[in-house]
């Protein structure tokens, strides 16, 4: 019994040894990545600071991390498109904060009103920049080394390659190799003769396109950064007949990058001579602008010659690297205000802001200086204004414009007197009237004095306080004057990135070998094989074209009656078990895969 037990124990031990041996052999043959388990023993030293730095650098410059950072950068730009940004329109930001009192503290803590200058967006931006540089530098060195090196020699057994063909010819091996080298070079292969074979390679532009793509990304990042740091952008509303000079005091609003120098403002000026607009009068597109252009007279420098120009939507006026864009249009009623003695105290065109596509406009008319009431006391006047360029007529609904053109203009006014609040030192919206310190003018019924005026009509203030007359209507245009030095580089980088990406995706790098040796029967055996960096159905077709071109110099030899038993013969079977192309098939069917 004990003997049997010992025998079974010994058999189990032998089976365990065999199983462990098979497992070790399986691990050696396996193509799966081997998992390195760190030894937890006390004798293994901890990673040093330099080791951690190297590990972090390898992770940062890996393609996986670069793609993650690029995705995070695109993801981080989404809030900048959906949430109003302070750098673009501060008034929209303030309106958003007033409407969303709960979200505002959260957005401010996350810097979502200043996405592109926030700490987290800048961190992603800088890390992506460093990652791309760390990825490009070593790959550039490798690519230069590949360009300077020659294609490797032919493998010992070409039959193992995915694309292969062979035939026999009576031409000399040296003639076949010379003809093969000429054919390959004619097809723009880099080739040379190595031993009994010709080695050639093509498709180096694939890696060049990859490098161009990454370099273009860096150029775009630099252009974007320089555009944000050195940009200047401002807005100006100009009424017909008025002008603008490119100085800080002339802007209605002005924003610039943190490194921008105001002394670098390009010296130029322009005058809005006329604004021309026409609109579709019928059909489903009624009211759509057909002509929308500002005709200006501009001059470069302080003493530059005056020139005529036209500014259209998406067709800016470019002066010394600064672009003047046309962004909006509206109407400015011309009003004359007189005091009780008939003296003119104010006459000007007052721009009003559109509130719909038909340019129904609203605003305020303010008389801050020069007016005295009937007692001779200085005071201020204010009028709430509502303007429609095309009035539908009394009794035809509310007073909203029916068409954007100036066909039937009507100006509605309501009058106030008192303090406008402009002397308090606080900023005030010129298009809004603060009536907290003002009194209403009353009509004969004791209601707020208001009236609708057509051109030439006037509103008389009660008790001989004066009048306001609607003289006519001018047009105004709003311009954006911007200077962004990185736009050209960004455009060039984007074009280069698309070209590089197309090259890296569609160009296939492949190698071709042509071996020509004399067989045992004295007839030259020609073998051709191709290998691509990636699987492609075009490689066998290309090998077939090359073999067809080479057959013209090395024609197929007539087959002998007796079948050859040599492994180099045309009827041999390759290592993969597939039969090579017969000589007569080579030019017709190409390479066999």
């Amino acid at each position: 019994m004990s003997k049997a037990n010992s025998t079974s124990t010994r058999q189990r031990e032998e089976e365990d040894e065999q199983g462990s041996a098979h497992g070790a052999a399986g691990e050696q043959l396996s193509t799966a990545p081997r998992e390195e388990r760190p030894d937890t023993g006390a004798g293994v030293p901890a990673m040093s600071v330099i080791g951690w730095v190297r590990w972090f650098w390898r992770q940062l410059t890996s393609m996986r991390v670069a793609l993650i950072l690029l995705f995070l950068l695109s993801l981080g730009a989404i809030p900048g498109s959906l949430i109003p940004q302070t750098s673009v329109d501060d008034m929209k930001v303030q309106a958003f904060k007033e409407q969303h009192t709960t979200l505002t503290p959260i957005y401010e803590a996350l810097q979502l009103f200043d996405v592109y200058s926030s700490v987290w967006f800048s961190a992603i931006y800088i890390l992506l920049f460093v990652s791309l540089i760390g990825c490009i530098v070593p790959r550039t060195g490798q690519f230069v080394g590949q360009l300077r090196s020659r294609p490797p020699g032919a493998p010992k057994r070409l039959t193992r390659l995915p694309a292969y063909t062979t035939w026999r010819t009576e031409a000399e091996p040296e003639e076949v190799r010379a003809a093969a080298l000429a054919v390959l070079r004619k097809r723009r292969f880099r080739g040379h003769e190595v031993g009994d074979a010709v080695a050639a390679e093509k498709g180096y532009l694939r890696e060049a396109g990859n490098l161009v793509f990454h370099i273009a990304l860096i150029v775009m990042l630099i252009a974007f950064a320089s555009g944000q740091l050195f940009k200047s952008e401002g807005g100006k509303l100009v009424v017909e007949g008025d002008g603008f000079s490119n100085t800080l005091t002339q802007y209605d609003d002005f924003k610039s990058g943190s490194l921008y120098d105001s002394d670098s403002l390009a010296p130029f000026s322009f005058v809005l001579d006329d604004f021309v607009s026409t609109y579709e009068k019928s059909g489903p597109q009624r009211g759509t602008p057909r002509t929308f252009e500002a005709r200006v007279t501009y001059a470069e420098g302080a003493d530059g010659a005056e020139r005529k120009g036209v500014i259209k939507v998406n067709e800016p006026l470019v002066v010394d690297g600064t672009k003047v864009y046309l962004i909006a249009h509206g109407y400015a009623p011309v009003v004359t205000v007189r005091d009780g003695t008939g003296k003119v105290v104010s006459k000007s065109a007052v721009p009003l802001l559109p509130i719909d596509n038909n340019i129904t406009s609203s605003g305020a008319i303010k008389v801050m200086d020069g007016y005295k009431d009937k007692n001779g006391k200085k005071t201020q006047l204010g009028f709430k204004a509502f303007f429609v360029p095309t009035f539908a007529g009394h009794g035809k609904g509310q007073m909203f414009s029916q068409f954007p053109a100036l066909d039937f203009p009507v100006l509605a006014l309501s009058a106030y007197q008192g303090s406008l609040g402009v002397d308090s030192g606080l900023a005030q919206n010129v298009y809004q009237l603060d009536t907290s310190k003002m009194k209403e003018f009353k009509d004969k019924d004791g209601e707020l004095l208001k009236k609708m005026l057509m051109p030439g009509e006037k509103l008389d203030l009660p008790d001989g306080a004066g009048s306001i007359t609607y003289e006519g209507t001018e047009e105004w245009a709003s311009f954006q004057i911007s200077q962004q030095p990185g736009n050209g580089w960004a455009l060039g980088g984007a074009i280069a990135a698309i070209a590089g990406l197309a090259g890296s995706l569609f160009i296939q790098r492949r190698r071709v070998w042509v071996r020509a040796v004399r067989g045992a029967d004295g007839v030259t055996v020609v073998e051709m094989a191709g290998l691509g960096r990636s699987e492609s159905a075009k490689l066998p077709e290309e090998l077939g074209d090359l073999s067809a071109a080479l057959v013209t110099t090395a024609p197929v030899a007539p087959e002998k009656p007796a079948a050859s038993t040599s492994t180099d013969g045309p009827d041999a079977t390759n290592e993969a078990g597939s039969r090579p192309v017969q000589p007569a098939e080579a030019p017709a069917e190409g390479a066999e895969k």
Side-chain angles (χ1 to χ4, degrees), residues 318-362:
V318 182
V319 183
D320 194 15
T322 302
K323 294 183 179 181
V324 182
Y325 293 91
L326 174 64
I327 60 175
H329 158 258
Y331 295 105
V334 180
V335 295
T336 301
V337 179
R338 294 177 173 86
D339 61 13
T341 63
K343 177 184 176 183
V344 175
V345 296
S346 174
K347 184 177 182 179
S348 62
V350 182
L352 303 180
L353 293 183
I355 61 175
D356 60 20
N357 292 332
N358 286 328
I359 319 186
T360 302
S361 307
S362 65

Side-chain angles (χ1 to χ4, degrees), residues 497-519:
I498 295 174
L501 184 61
S504 64
L505 291 177
F506 298 110
I507 296 176
Q508 299 294 327
R509 188 174 176 185
R510 61 272 194 201
R511 291 172 179 170
V512 174
W513 292 275
V514 182
R515 176 176 284 142
V517 295
R518 195 179 301 278

